[in-house]
Amino acid sequence: DARDVLRERTKPHVAQHDFSRYRYLLHMPGSATGSYSRNLQYLWSHGAIVLIWKHTAREWYYTHLRDGVHYVSVDETNLYSVLQKLDASPSLQLKLRRGGRQFAFKHLSGRTLVDRWQSIMGVLQDRQARRRPPIQNETACTCDAAREVL
């Protein structure tokens, strides 16, 4: 069961630079530090098979992810059986490693991220160039308003 897997096949803490030493990397929802975590984006760069614990959070690139192609979805009901299946199939392991690497290159590489941000900023720039933002003077918080009060 999942408790046995977590007890026998996990480490209490592994530095990110050591992730490449492991065959499987498990992404859990949330963050260890209480802030946004981009951990999942880095897991594919280690050449491991990424296991994603089932959760409801969403990132902008999740719509492009395919279970069984780029990662494997797991929870407490299937973690052990998924690991058994993966351990028994080198060809499936290879397929997932390749799929993960292709996904990371196509959706999370530097050029792709820059292009994404440029497209977002371009839309915002166009919207603001057409008209002034709809901010009421009485509710605006600007440095000029603060100086007028003084």
Side-chain angles (χ1 to χ4, degrees):
D1 86 338
R3 287 179 295 236
D4 292 332
V5 170
L6 295 174
R7 184 174 40 257
E8 299 297 324
R9 296 184 69 165
T10 61
K11 302 287 183 186
H13 174 75
V14 176
Q16 191 177 54
H17 63 268
D18 287 331
F19 284 5
S20 298
R21 296 179 183 204
Y22 296 90
R23 182 178 299 143
Y24 308 114
L25 296 174
L26 175 62
H27 175 71
M28 301 290 286
S31 170
T33 62
S35 64
Y36 170 72
S37 170
R38 291 182 19 201
N39 184 56
L40 180 57
Q41 296 178 32
Y42 297 112
L43 295 183
W44 285 287
S45 68
H46 293 279
I49 295 164
V50 175
L51 307 173
I52 299 178
W53 197 266
K54 292 177 185 173
H55 58 87
T56 58
R58 292 286 172 253
E59 292 287 343
W60 63 270
Y61 57 87
Y62 281 21
T63 57
H64 304 290
L65 284 172
R66 298 293 172 258
D67 192 352
V69 176
H70 307 122
Y71 73 99
V72 179
S73 181
V74 297
D75 64 16
E76 67 278 359
T77 66
N78 72 346
L79 180 60
Y80 184 71
S81 62
V82 164
L83 289 175
Q84 284 183 315
K85 181 179 177 182
L86 289 169
D87 285 344
S89 179
S91 62
L92 181 56
Q93 292 178 31
L94 182 60
K95 174 188 169 189
L96 287 162
R97 280 193 199 94
R98 285 181 177 162
R101 186 170 45 250
Q102 290 168 352
F103 175 83
F105 181 77
K106 183 175 181 180
H107 298 286
L108 301 174
S109 66
R111 183 72 250 160
T112 302
L113 294 174
V114 167
D115 290 347
R116 177 169 169 73
W117 278 108
Q118 284 180 334
S119 70
I120 291 169
M121 294 302 159
V123 169
L124 294 174
Q125 181 180 2
D126 290 347
R127 285 182 185 171
Q128 290 188 5
R130 285 188 227 127
R131 58 179 163 74
R132 291 188 73 193
I135 300 173
Q136 303 293 324
N137 286 338
E138 52 275 356
T139 60
C141 181
T142 67
C143 295
D144 293 338
R147 255 185 275 167
E148 290 175 14
V149 174
L150 299 175

